[in-house]
Amino acid sequence: MAARPVHSTAAPASRRRRPTAGEERADALWDMERSLRRRGFTAVAGADEAGRGACAGPLVAAACVLPAGKRGRVPDLADSKLLTAASRERVYAEILDRAVSWSVVQIPVEELDARGMHVTNLEALRRAVCTLDPEPDYVLTDGFAVPGLARPGLAVWKGDRVAACVAAASVLAKVTRDRVMVELHERWPEYDFAGHKGYITDVHTAALERHGPSPAHRMRFVNVARARDAHAGRVHRLPGDDAMHDDGDMRPVSCEPPTSTEDR
């Protein structure tokens, strides 16, 4: 009996739509986690921080485990710095809805001044990872290694641009910190924290020179310490010049680890 022809509705390969460069980059965001899952690491956490370079407000660290498959494909997920404020809020809500586990840790200004930025940054990332429930099997961190974790991990250069879980953590940290800075703006509107979130801009520098630092400022930053001393000299009419002052050695002092956390 003669074979019947088989009719296919699929378009020829030459006519099929090819993914755009942007779509390929977006899909690649999940490659690292897929690879780790194939090696037996089911729950892969990403960790990142926001506010490290700001001279005011808390340091915020976050950790996140996204589910495998379509559920973990958070729409429009990307490095928080590449998203608009409105997009970050939408992505933030999606992450909270989809994540297997997530956590956010805030380090207050007093702790940053007492212990130093790098020491406190590592501690914040450790605490964010350690408060995940359920715990991860593997941890990806943005930029540099975080010692003291109970799970294997890898420091990934520009991790928030190449690993979905790190990008998710960056969004959680950024949105949380931005909301805090808006609250601080309501208390000290003269610094326009809502506009520049405490980073060293021309507007912020001018406000520091005019008003001196607020309690929300980090005194370890040279520009903040200089404004503090200059402002004190003007207010109290103290003798002396306006030379730059720095608080010097940034080695950590002995104190208890931060306890300010919010987690799921």
Side-chain angles (χ1 to χ4, degrees):
M1 182 174 66
R4 295 180 180 179
V6 177
H7 299 283
S8 173
T9 58
S14 60
R15 291 169 52 193
R16 292 175 190 164
R17 178 180 176 277
R18 296 180 180 179
T20 65
E23 290 171 336
E24 289 179 345
R25 286 195 299 271
D27 185 68
L29 194 63
W30 281 264
D31 281 350
M32 191 169 294
E33 288 168 71
R34 283 195 294 256
S35 177
L36 287 167
R37 288 191 180 103
R38 286 196 294 268
R39 288 164 172 78
F41 298 106
T42 304
V44 181
D48 199 6
E49 90 287 325
R52 181 182 174 96
C55 67
L59 177 72
V60 179
C64 183
V65 176
L66 295 174
K70 291 183 179 180
R71 179 70 178 166
R73 293 299 188 100
V74 178
D76 300 321
L77 178 61
D79 172 11
S80 62
K81 296 184 291 295
L82 302 179
L83 300 173
T84 65
S87 296
R88 280 196 298 268
E89 288 285 350
R90 289 195 300 271
V91 173
Y92 176 92
E94 288 283 354
I95 293 169
L96 298 193
D97 180 60
R98 295 165 180 257
V100 174
S101 60
W102 62 271
S103 66
V104 177
V105 173
Q106 295 186 41
I107 307 298
V109 169
E110 298 80 8
E111 193 72 33
L112 293 169
D113 283 342
R115 307 185 73 197
M117 178 59 69
H118 186 63
V119 170
T120 317
N121 190 37
L122 293 178
E123 175 65 17
L125 291 168
R126 273 193 299 269
R127 292 182 67 82
V129 171
C130 291
T131 51
L132 289 172
D133 185 17
E135 297 178 355
D137 302 316
Y138 199 93
V139 181
L140 299 174
T141 54
D142 182 38
F144 49 85
V146 177
L149 297 176
R151 295 290 183 269
L154 178 68
V156 183
W157 177 247
K158 294 189 178 298
D160 45 11
R161 300 195 182 191
V162 299
C165 57
V166 180
S170 78
V171 171
L172 294 180
K174 174 65 174 170
V175 170
T176 299
R177 185 182 140 82
D178 283 359
R179 291 176 178 178
V180 171
M181 297 309 295
V182 170
E183 293 175 0
L184 292 178
H185 175 84
E186 295 175 358
R187 297 180 62 183
W188 296 289
E190 61 269 27
Y191 299 100
D192 191 26
F193 288 139
H196 52 63
K197 306 298 186 294
Y199 288 89
I200 306 171
T201 64
D202 291 341
V203 172
H204 197 159
T205 298
L208 277 171
E209 292 174 351
R210 186 179 310 114
H211 304 289
S214 73
H217 281 91
R218 304 173 183 177
M219 295 302 168
R220 279 184 176 268
F221 276 63
V222 172
N223 65 321
V224 176
R226 182 171 58 236
R228 173 198 61 198
D229 294 344
H231 187 70
R234 289 197 302 270
V235 170
H236 300 292
R237 300 180 183 278
L238 297 176
D241 57 30
D242 292 328
M244 181 178 69
H245 295 276
D246 192 358
D247 58 358
D249 194 349
M250 293 187 68
R251 290 177 296 181
V253 299
S254 177
C255 62
E256 294 297 323
T259 58
S260 174
T261 64
E262 53 177 291
D263 55 74
R264 186 176 182 177

